Amino acid sequence: MWFGVITLFPPMLDAVTKYGVSSRAVKLGKLAVEGINPRDFTHDKHRTVDDRPFGGGPGMVMLAQPLLDAVAEAKKRAGGAAKVIYLSPQGSPLTQERVKALVSEERLVLLAGRYEGIDERAIEMVVDEEISIGDYVLSGGELPAMVLIDAVARLLPGVLNDEQSAEQDSFVDGLLDCPHYTRPEVFEGRAVPDVLMSGHHEQIRRWRLKQALARTSERRPDLLKDRVLSKEEKKLLDEYQREKSA
Ligand SMILES: CC(C)(C)c1cccc(C(=O)NCC2(NC(=O)c3cccc4nocc34)CCCC2)c1
């Protein structure tokens, strides 16, 4: 899968090309990430990429022309059709469902804004879709672009080894994670729950599932709304809720 990222700071992309699972995807030739800098598509002496907002107000706005020329260059390098996604606070929320859908794209151009944002005409002319990673104020769209790349890279076939894909599966069953423990057995006077030391794999599985259900219902009840519970999950969640109110 090929990503062309339109960004004023291409070196930021090292975070996904040089480290972790996504860097393995790059080494395996399953992922390519190219930074394309709009500043290289300016024609003035000062290589201007931004200007003051019409109508006044604080901050600056990214000029449309360098962005459009950078997108054109990205599409050329893509070597085929490529959707353009603008990472933006106005975008639709990035979810695991959306990530799964994006895995089947062969080529994507990601547009990362800076300053107050980009000239609206650039969005009208070349952006196919706007995606947001969440509701907080950021300094740029590069980290959101890398969040999307990381989430997609993990789903590319052959990128995760067996252990990692088992881990991935445990994350995406739509529940929050159960507590994790590793050595030592007692740390600062705090022991690991007995069931995890019992060797009873079936009891351990149920304990972990119950913990995941309990945490999800406590911390993210919204996730439970979208999730059908199995008979066993319903029983464990009821058990938890009874114990809680006992
Ligand atoms: C969400 C809310 C708090 C209401 C809000 C309202 C208005 C502006 C901003 C804001 O952060 N503007 C700054 C920029 N933000 C992002 O690019 C950005 C931010 C968040 C998630 C994202 N996912 O992708 C790109 C994202 C836009 C131009 C440069 C950075 C945030």
Side-chain angles (χ1 to χ4, degrees), residues 19-31:
Y19 306 94
V21 165
S22 45
S23 71
R24 181 173 135 85
V26 171
K27 283 186 201 106
L28 292 170
K30 295 172 185 287
L31 174 70

PDB file of all heavy atoms in Angstrom, residues 19-31:
ATOM      1  N   TYR A  19      10.206   3.079  12.700  1.00  0.00           N
ATOM      2  CA  TYR A  19      10.022   2.434  14.011  1.00  0.00           C
ATOM      3  C   TYR A  19       8.801   1.518  14.003  1.00  0.00           C
ATOM      4  O   TYR A  19       7.798   1.831  13.364  1.00  0.00           O
ATOM      5  CB  TYR A  19       9.853   3.491  15.105  1.00  0.00           C
ATOM      6  CG  TYR A  19      10.982   4.489  15.130  1.00  0.00           C
ATOM      7  CD1 TYR A  19      10.885   5.692  14.434  1.00  0.00           C
ATOM      8  CD2 TYR A  19      12.182   4.206  15.783  1.00  0.00           C
ATOM      9  CE1 TYR A  19      11.934   6.599  14.424  1.00  0.00           C
ATOM     10  CE2 TYR A  19      13.234   5.111  15.775  1.00  0.00           C
ATOM     11  CZ  TYR A  19      13.099   6.297  15.081  1.00  0.00           C
ATOM     12  OH  TYR A  19      14.147   7.197  15.061  1.00  0.00           O
ATOM     13  N   GLY A  20       8.939   0.412  14.733  1.00  0.00           N
ATOM     14  CA  GLY A  20       7.775  -0.408  15.041  1.00  0.00           C
ATOM     15  C   GLY A  20       7.203  -1.188  13.874  1.00  0.00           C
ATOM     16  O   GLY A  20       7.839  -1.358  12.822  1.00  0.00           O
ATOM     17  N   VAL A  21       5.993  -1.647  14.075  1.00  0.00           N
ATOM     18  CA  VAL A  21       5.314  -2.540  13.118  1.00  0.00           C
ATOM     19  C   VAL A  21       5.263  -1.912  11.724  1.00  0.00           C
ATOM     20  O   VAL A  21       5.509  -2.580  10.716  1.00  0.00           O
ATOM     21  CB  VAL A  21       3.883  -2.849  13.634  1.00  0.00           C
ATOM     22  CG1 VAL A  21       3.014  -3.453  12.546  1.00  0.00           C
ATOM     23  CG2 VAL A  21       3.942  -3.746  14.863  1.00  0.00           C
ATOM     24  N   SER A  22       4.994  -0.627  11.637  1.00  0.00           N
ATOM     25  CA  SER A  22       4.860  -0.001  10.307  1.00  0.00           C
ATOM     26  C   SER A  22       6.217   0.003   9.591  1.00  0.00           C
ATOM     27  O   SER A  22       6.262  -0.126   8.362  1.00  0.00           O
ATOM     28  CB  SER A  22       4.318   1.431  10.445  1.00  0.00           C
ATOM     29  OG  SER A  22       4.987   2.122  11.484  1.00  0.00           O
ATOM     30  N   SER A  23       7.322   0.090  10.356  1.00  0.00           N
ATOM     31  CA  SER A  23       8.638   0.056   9.690  1.00  0.00           C
ATOM     32  C   SER A  23       8.905  -1.347   9.140  1.00  0.00           C
ATOM     33  O   SER A  23       9.538  -1.515   8.097  1.00  0.00           O
ATOM     34  CB  SER A  23       9.754   0.457  10.664  1.00  0.00           C
ATOM     35  OG  SER A  23       9.954  -0.555  11.631  1.00  0.00           O
ATOM     36  N   ARG A  24       8.337  -2.359   9.796  1.00  0.00           N
ATOM     37  CA  ARG A  24       8.483  -3.745   9.297  1.00  0.00           C
ATOM     38  C   ARG A  24       7.695  -3.881   8.000  1.00  0.00           C
ATOM     39  O   ARG A  24       8.156  -4.484   7.027  1.00  0.00           O
ATOM     40  CB  ARG A  24       7.931  -4.704  10.368  1.00  0.00           C
ATOM     41  CG  ARG A  24       8.016  -6.168  10.045  1.00  0.00           C
ATOM     42  CD  ARG A  24       7.574  -6.992  11.289  1.00  0.00           C
ATOM     43  NE  ARG A  24       6.678  -8.063  10.894  1.00  0.00           N
ATOM     44  CZ  ARG A  24       7.103  -9.244  10.471  1.00  0.00           C
ATOM     45  NH1 ARG A  24       8.398  -9.470  10.390  1.00  0.00           N
ATOM     46  NH2 ARG A  24       6.262 -10.190  10.112  1.00  0.00           N
ATOM     47  N   ALA A  25       6.541  -3.253   7.958  1.00  0.00           N
ATOM     48  CA  ALA A  25       5.726  -3.284   6.730  1.00  0.00           C
ATOM     49  C   ALA A  25       6.500  -2.633   5.580  1.00  0.00           C
ATOM     50  O   ALA A  25       6.479  -3.121   4.448  1.00  0.00           O
ATOM     51  CB  ALA A  25       4.414  -2.536   6.963  1.00  0.00           C
ATOM     52  N   VAL A  26       7.226  -1.573   5.890  1.00  0.00           N
ATOM     53  CA  VAL A  26       8.032  -0.898   4.853  1.00  0.00           C
ATOM     54  C   VAL A  26       9.154  -1.825   4.396  1.00  0.00           C
ATOM     55  O   VAL A  26       9.361  -2.054   3.201  1.00  0.00           O
ATOM     56  CB  VAL A  26       8.614   0.434   5.393  1.00  0.00           C
ATOM     57  CG1 VAL A  26       9.630   1.024   4.424  1.00  0.00           C
ATOM     58  CG2 VAL A  26       7.493   1.437   5.657  1.00  0.00           C
ATOM     59  N   LYS A  27       9.831  -2.459   5.377  1.00  0.00           N
ATOM     60  CA  LYS A  27      10.950  -3.350   5.030  1.00  0.00           C
ATOM     61  C   LYS A  27      10.465  -4.520   4.186  1.00  0.00           C
ATOM     62  O   LYS A  27      11.140  -4.958   3.256  1.00  0.00           O
ATOM     63  CB  LYS A  27      11.613  -3.882   6.311  1.00  0.00           C
ATOM     64  CG  LYS A  27      12.517  -2.852   6.991  1.00  0.00           C
ATOM     65  CD  LYS A  27      13.280  -3.470   8.186  1.00  0.00           C
ATOM     66  CE  LYS A  27      13.752  -2.392   9.151  1.00  0.00           C
ATOM     67  NZ  LYS A  27      12.930  -2.384  10.391  1.00  0.00           N
ATOM     68  N   LEU A  28       9.252  -4.997   4.494  1.00  0.00           N
ATOM     69  CA  LEU A  28       8.701  -6.143   3.755  1.00  0.00           C
ATOM     70  C   LEU A  28       8.153  -5.729   2.387  1.00  0.00           C
ATOM     71  O   LEU A  28       7.638  -6.553   1.642  1.00  0.00           O
ATOM     72  CB  LEU A  28       7.585  -6.804   4.580  1.00  0.00           C
ATOM     73  CG  LEU A  28       8.029  -7.516   5.868  1.00  0.00           C
ATOM     74  CD1 LEU A  28       6.807  -7.909   6.705  1.00  0.00           C
ATOM     75  CD2 LEU A  28       8.868  -8.752   5.538  1.00  0.00           C
ATOM     76  N   GLY A  29       8.229  -4.416   2.116  1.00  0.00           N
ATOM     77  CA  GLY A  29       7.734  -3.942   0.822  1.00  0.00           C
ATOM     78  C   GLY A  29       6.221  -3.921   0.721  1.00  0.00           C
ATOM     79  O   GLY A  29       5.639  -3.833  -0.358  1.00  0.00           O
ATOM     80  N   LYS A  30       5.553  -3.987   1.883  1.00  0.00           N
ATOM     81  CA  LYS A  30       4.073  -3.992   1.879  1.00  0.00           C
ATOM     82  C   LYS A  30       3.507  -2.595   2.084  1.00  0.00           C
ATOM     83  O   LYS A  30       2.323  -2.357   1.938  1.00  0.00           O
ATOM     84  CB  LYS A  30       3.560  -4.927   2.979  1.00  0.00           C
ATOM     85  CG  LYS A  30       3.932  -6.392   2.706  1.00  0.00           C
ATOM     86  CD  LYS A  30       3.600  -7.271   3.873  1.00  0.00           C
ATOM     87  CE  LYS A  30       4.090  -8.676   3.632  1.00  0.00           C
ATOM     88  NZ  LYS A  30       3.296  -9.414   2.628  1.00  0.00           N
ATOM     89  N   LEU A  31       4.394  -1.663   2.479  1.00  0.00           N
ATOM     90  CA  LEU A  31       3.952  -0.296   2.765  1.00  0.00           C
ATOM     91  C   LEU A  31       5.012   0.668   2.246  1.00  0.00           C
ATOM     92  O   LEU A  31       6.213   0.414   2.413  1.00  0.00           O
ATOM     93  CB  LEU A  31       3.783  -0.110   4.282  1.00  0.00           C
ATOM     94  CG  LEU A  31       3.470   1.298   4.783  1.00  0.00           C
ATOM     95  CD1 LEU A  31       2.042   1.699   4.380  1.00  0.00           C
ATOM     96  CD2 LEU A  31       3.617   1.375   6.302  1.00  0.00           C
TER      97      LEU A  31
END
